[in-house]
Structures are given as C-alpha cells and as structure tokens.
Amino acid sequence: MLLDTYGRVATDLRVSLTDRCNLRCTYCMPEEGLQWLAKPELLTDDEIVRLVRIAVDELGVEEVRFTGGEPLLRPGLTGIVERCAALTRRPKLSLTTNGIGLERTAGALRDAGLDRVNVSLDTLDPEVFQRMTRRKRHADVLRGLAAAHEAGLTPVKVNSVLMPGLNDGEAPDLLAWAVEHGYELRFIEQMPLDAQHGWQRDGMITAGDILESLSSRFTLTPEDEEERGSAPAERWIVDGGPHRVGVIASVTRPFCRACDRTRLTADGQVRTCLFATEESDLRGALRSGADDGEVASRWRQAMWGKKAGAGIDDPSFVQPDRPMSAIGG
C-alpha cells in the first residue's frame, strides 16, 4: 500500500497523460502557452499502463483518473483506457477533460472501459468563455457534455472555477443549468497553480462566497459527512434532492487530513500533492530496467514523505514551478 507517516493511504491515482492543452485558461497558463515537454520525456503508452498496473496490483490503488493538460490530446488514450480496464484487479476509471473533442470520443471511451468523466466549464456565456479560455470553443464543450451523458459516462461532473469580474455572478445559473441537464456541478476555488504566478488570495471567490450566492436561489442541505469520505468536494443536497452540488475548497477549507491521492506526471514523476515542490522519478527507474518490485518500492518511499498539508496558509508557501497543466488536476 501507499502509506504516509500520518497514516493516510493513497488509493486514488491521478495520471497526467500530456502537458499540452487546446485552451489557454487565464487561471492556468499564459496566452502564448508554455514550453511543452519533448516527446522522449513523456511516458510511453506501455510505461503508463505498466505504472497503473503496478499501482493497482502492488500498491492497492482502486481508482485511476486520467488528466492532462488535456488528455483527449493523447493519441493513444483509448488504448490506454482499454488496457487498464482489462487489468485483473480492474480499477475504477475516469477522465478529467475540457470537453473539446469529447463529442467524437465519448462512445469509444465508454466501449474501452471508461466509467465516467469530469468536464471543465466555467460559464454559460460564450463571450465570457472566450475571455476566460482565449478560445471560441464553448459550443464544443456543451456538445461534449451531452455526448458523455448519452454514452453513459455518468455521473457527468462539471467543474467550475469562478473568477472576479468574469463569471463570479454565475453560480446560481450554472447550478440551475446542471440540474436541468442531470449533471453534478462542483465549484473549485481558484488555486495557486497558474504558470504566470498571478494568483492572489485577496479577492478570490471563496467557498463561502459561492454558497452564499447559491443560497439566494436554492435551499442547500449539507450532505452527511460520512458520505463524503476522502472526496475533495463538500456536497449539498439541492432543494431536497435528488440533485447535489459540491464545492472543493482547497484554499479556505483544505481537506489534507483525508487525502487519499497519489499523482503521476506526464513525464513519470510521482507527486504527493498538487502543491508539492518535490518529485520522485519513476520514468528513470522504468528505463533503467527496474523490475516491478523496485518501482513499487520507490513509489512507496515517495509517498512515505508526504507532508501533512498543502501549506497554502503558511506565509512561507512557495508556488510549485509546474503549472496545473503539467501536474494534472
């Protein structure tokens, strides 16, 4: 198992398949993009599947989430999903995507064994979408969401980040829309993971702000704490149910004590936390001929050193050098 010194056990693996993205979200990367990883630095399809197998068979991982960048840009995505779904101890498989391209791939991904998707959508207004992402792709995301729902990749979860002066007043409208379409909406506090290091805590839209806005239109009842478990989102029942809305308050209400995640970057580095400034190299072990036991041992050692918390509230907090697009959400 992947145990740390605080008694937490990691059973949820997030795998970044690429650092590339076809959007330029203002809270993630600059308009001109980033210097992408060279292809030889990326894990191959075989290496990804091998590491997932080791995580599942040797280390007790039960859920695998494929992320990016934008994972739909990975040419071998469907094959990776199919091979991971065929593992003897089959993990639950999900995907976090911006939704562009999902319209044409949702059915194939379902057939390959994908269980569900999380789709990022911050606004219902195409013009605001263009301002936030610097791309005119709003309609593509909506069609991708519909395709995922029709394909049975459910529950379809929608992740939204609210930004001051852009979409900060849209929370009630987003929830009404999600309820209408049968999606589960989750608001995520903006985190200090932007490449341009422009994040500022002062002025950010907090979980408290979001809940106050939602309560102006909906009756929200807190979900039983036991149902949350180690999930990052606090959830509320909307107007008596059955619909729910979640808030991931990584900044103002950190959930580090219950964290059960381990992360693998697109170039084969273990990260114990989104906000970690240190990484442990598994790609080098794979390519130097290490057997599964040695790779598993290195992974255990990396997770043993996981810190108690993200440390965002610490005045000495240093933002990670890698932006979110290179780490995986």
Side-chain angles (χ1 to χ4, degrees), residues 225-241:
E225 189 67 23
E226 290 186 4
E227 292 191 44
R228 179 184 183 186
S230 60
E234 294 180 76
R235 299 203 306 175
W236 284 262
I237 301 168
V238 180
D239 290 342

Side-chain angles (χ1 to χ4, degrees), residues 8 12 29 44 48-49 51 62-64 72 91 135 138 140 157 159 165 172 177 191 193 221 235 239 266 271 304 310:
R8 297 168 297 193
D12 186 333
M29 69 172 72
T44 66
I48 290 170
V49 174
L51 286 172
E62 299 171 354
E63 299 185 32
V64 177
L72 293 181
R135 297 292 186 271
H138 190 262
D140 294 319
K157 296 184 179 181
N159 296 338
W177 166 82
M191 294 179 284
L193 290 169
T221 305
R235 299 203 306 175
D239 290 342
R271 293 183 69 92
W304 183 251

Side-chain angles (χ1 to χ4, degrees), residues 1-6 8 10 59 261-264 268-273 276 278-283 294-308:
M1 68 174 64
L2 291 171
L3 178 69
D4 67 31
T5 55
Y6 298 93
R8 297 168 297 193
L59 300 172
R261 281 165 291 289
T262 182
R263 300 177 183 275
L264 188 65
Q269 310 300 306
V270 171
R271 293 183 69 92
T272 60
C273 174
E278 298 177 350
E279 299 175 335
S280 299
D281 181 29
L282 294 187
R283 183 191 64 194
E294 172 63 20
V295 174
S297 177
R298 293 191 185 199
W299 207 328
R300 289 191 191 96
Q301 185 176 4
M303 293 304 296
W304 183 251
K306 184 173 182 172
K307 295 181 179 179

